[in-house]
Amino acid sequence: MTDEASESLSFTFPVIHGTMGPSVLDHRRLPQEAGLFTFDPGFGSTAACESKITFIDGEKGILLHRGYPIEQLALQTDYTETSYLLLYGELPNKEQYEVFSADMATQRLLHEQIRNFFNGFRRDAHPMPILCGTVAALSAFYSDGLNINDPTQRDRSARRLIAKVPTIAAWAYKYSRGEPFVYPDESLSFSENFLNMLFSRPGRHYKADPILARALDRIFILHADHEQNASTTAVRLVGSTGANPFACISAGIAALWGPAHGGANEAVLNMFDHIGSKEGIPAFLAKVKDKQSGIRLMGFGHRVYRNFDPRAKLMRSTYYEVIETLNIKRDPFFDLAMELEKIATEDEYFVHRKLYPNVDFYSGLILKALGIPTSMFTALFAVARTAGWVSQWLEMMADPMTRIARPRQLYMGEKPRDVIPMAKRV
Ligand code: CMC
């Protein structure tokens, strides 16, 4: 858009104040009153919904779920409690917790025919397309949860998704290994069961170390929700059309897949591998700073955080617990990561743009130490984020303000013209 094409106009619109954070300018009547739309590619200055679930202060590095700081949730609750909190707004008491976790454990099993889906994929298929396709296909199996106008059915589907996505993710891994699927075990916690489905096999029962299961649980809590990020926005957008919840979460998984979002944890490890050693850091950062290269420092930067991502701090301390438990004396990737972080956080390019390590800078290091293959990293993020996605979807479906999401555009194409017969076209 040229300067000549832009002009300043002024109108008055109400400002709405939330309980915390920046207030918003309510310009819903802008088209009717001024004949204008706002222009905001990437939605950097647009609040698209009202929400009570998650609060982020990106300048101060604060993340709250239902008012509780992420630090307290990560250290004092488990993923099942945090899921309950996201879904229903309060932490469960002991009885509520027992009833909820028992119900969630029984929901982990997949309809036996869903096994057939896996055989349709190549053995070397990445887990994300398997997850994306199979989650959408759940809608063909669980029709008693598809009436989106019935709150009981919505809740049923939300719980099923949190419980069944881990089974699909673990089976995608087993399929790639050519190993038999391990059925979910109702007697295990959410994270122990997930580790069991990944690592048990005929002849070798995997017994999860409680500290490692706790570390994985913490990773799940740290990824459980993050307000209106790209994948949650995809879930809400698809949900706004009245699509079924399985289709909505499948859309969220597709959005998460990209390297700018959930695919970053896998990309970070591939980046460490590519850099190779501390000696390779300066040449790599020179490429990152060269805008022509198209290379980014993966695991750095965030749309909302302009300060250290609070999840990254917790990830780093979790990493120390894991390597101590596993008695790992030296991890060359961790040494490389520390040096890369040090150099980048002192470099003018990153300082000036307020680019700090985000959650994914460290998560891959922990997952690698836990023996989880790099190709599964984004699938684990999807397992964790399912609680956030379904909570946001439930909130949206109960919100009388919800309308089909339908942004407008700034048209810069041709003005009206007539079709010329093909014989006369140059
Ligand atoms: N490496 C190098 N330069 C960067 C990076 C980076 N990782 N991130 C941002 N920049 C630069 C960007 O080139 C731009 O520079 P300039 O002002 O000179 O044009 C400036 O910083 C602002 O960047 P932006 O692209 O406008 O920022 P954004 O808010 O649109 O993008 C982001 C946010 C997360 C997509 C981006 O920082 C990024 O690509 N990071 C790497 C991928 C990554 O780690 N993603 C995980 C995010 S956290 C987990 C999750 O929520 O999924």
Side-chain angles (χ1 to χ4, degrees):
M1 188 169 47
T2 61
D3 284 348
E4 297 79 53
S6 66
E7 57 179 308
S8 298
L9 298 166
S10 58
F11 297 95
T12 304
F13 290 100
V15 169
I16 306 177
H17 305 289
T19 45
M20 286 193 299
S23 302
V24 300
L25 180 75
D26 178 2
H27 61 69
R28 277 175 286 181
R29 292 203 51 77
L30 188 63
Q32 292 87 335
E33 290 185 16
L36 290 172
F37 294 103
T38 54
F39 184 58
D40 182 22
F43 311 124
S45 59
T46 297
C49 63
E50 216 181 88
S51 182
K52 293 188 170 81
I53 301 175
T54 292
F55 173 81
I56 304 174
D57 183 330
E59 294 295 330
K60 295 193 183 128
I62 292 172
L63 169 60
L64 311 175
H65 292 318
R66 304 282 191 184
Y68 294 107
I70 189 64
E71 293 80 1
Q72 292 181 26
L73 293 172
L75 299 176
Q76 295 174 43
T77 74
D78 67 18
Y79 178 73
T80 303
E81 275 173 277
T82 297
S83 300
Y84 185 99
L85 174 72
L86 291 170
L87 285 168
Y88 305 118
E90 296 296 339
L91 283 166
N93 62 28
K94 192 167 179 299
E95 194 194 336
Q96 287 165 331
Y97 176 79
E98 278 162 11
V99 172
F100 179 68
S101 43
D103 176 50
M104 296 300 274
T106 60
Q107 306 269 1
R108 291 172 185 159
L109 196 63
L110 298 174
H111 189 290
E112 190 61 10
Q113 260 174 273
I114 293 173
R115 286 178 68 108
N116 299 336
F117 278 83
F118 290 83
N119 295 329
F121 290 96
R122 280 170 56 133
R123 283 277 170 193
D124 60 357
H126 193 279
M128 287 304 280
I130 300 183
L131 198 56
C132 210
T134 313
V135 168
L138 293 180
S139 51
F141 290 85
Y142 300 104
S143 53
D144 59 342
L146 296 184
N147 181 356
I148 56 164
N149 299 314
D150 176 353
T152 309
Q153 293 204 24
R154 294 202 295 258
D155 185 62
R156 192 178 289 150
S157 287
R159 289 179 177 222
R160 275 185 179 141
L161 276 154
I162 298 173
K164 292 185 198 302
V165 167
T167 312
I168 300 173
W171 285 13
Y173 172 63
K174 284 300 196 192
Y175 185 73
S176 73
R177 306 264 305 168
E179 291 179 12
F181 299 138
V182 176
Y183 284 86
D185 182 337
E186 289 181 29
S187 69
L188 299 176
S189 74
F190 183 89
S191 295
E192 284 167 346
N193 172 60
F194 188 67
L195 286 167
N196 185 50
M197 289 192 296
L198 282 184
F199 296 129
S200 273
R201 59 171 194 247
R204 196 192 72 180
H205 176 67
Y206 176 87
K207 172 106 184 65
D209 181 308
I211 298 178
L212 300 183
R214 180 74 198 116
L216 182 65
D217 210 65
R218 198 174 296 159
I219 293 179
F220 287 147
I221 294 171
L222 294 176
H223 285 92
D225 192 53
H226 214 228
E227 52 119 305
Q228 308 311 320
N229 55 83
S231 57
T232 302
T233 298
V235 169
R236 280 185 177 260
L237 190 140
V238 175
S240 78
T241 69
N244 76 67
F246 302 101
C248 297
I249 302 311
S250 175
I253 293 169
L256 187 79
W257 196 346
H261 192 9
N265 52 14
E266 181 176 344
V268 167
L269 260 259
N270 292 335
M271 175 185 77
F272 292 155
D273 205 26
H274 169 78
I275 297 173
S277 68
K278 288 181 188 176
E279 289 67 40
I281 295 174
F284 180 74
L285 287 184
K287 275 193 234 155
V288 168
K289 289 190 267 181
D290 171 11
K291 289 288 163 76
Q292 304 305 319
S293 74
I295 295 174
R296 288 201 164 193
L297 178 55
M298 300 312 286
F300 257 68
H302 198 276
R303 170 64 61 82
V304 184
Y305 294 119
R306 297 298 176 195
N307 197 325
F308 218 86
D309 179 340
R311 302 169 301 170
K313 284 187 194 161
L314 290 154
M315 281 289 178
R316 195 157 61 175
S317 56
T318 305
Y319 174 80
Y320 288 121
E321 282 172 31
V322 168
I323 55 162
E324 198 181 309
T325 308
L326 292 170
N327 202 18
I328 297 173
K329 296 281 177 244
R330 209 181 144 260
D331 175 355
F333 271 5
F334 184 70
D335 296 345
L336 176 66
M338 290 301 95
E339 186 68 10
L340 187 54
E341 179 189 324
K342 183 173 175 299
I343 297 177
T345 49
E346 288 169 0
D347 187 303
E348 176 51 24
Y349 176 95
F350 299 94
V351 174
H352 174 68
R353 291 172 177 77
K354 297 190 177 172
L355 302 171
Y356 292 91
N358 60 49
V359 66
D360 288 327
F361 194 71
Y362 302 104
S363 61
L365 291 168
I366 308 177
L367 295 175
K368 182 171 167 287
L370 290 173
I372 293 168
T374 315
S375 62
M376 277 296 287
F377 289 4
T378 310
L380 260 83
F381 194 157
V383 166
R385 186 55 59 86
T386 300
W389 288 330
V390 296
S391 303
Q392 300 269 352
W393 176 78
L394 287 174
E395 181 178 63
M396 183 192 74
M397 295 309 291
D399 183 349
M401 251 186 321
T402 297
R403 302 170 73 195
I404 186 166
R406 192 359 178 141
R408 301 304 297 265
Q409 62 172 6
L410 174 63
Y411 178 69
M412 292 296 225
E414 296 290 345
K415 292 193 171 157
R417 50 184 176 160
D418 294 321
V419 173
I420 301 167
M422 193 180 279
K424 292 191 178 167
R425 288 178 215 160
V426 284

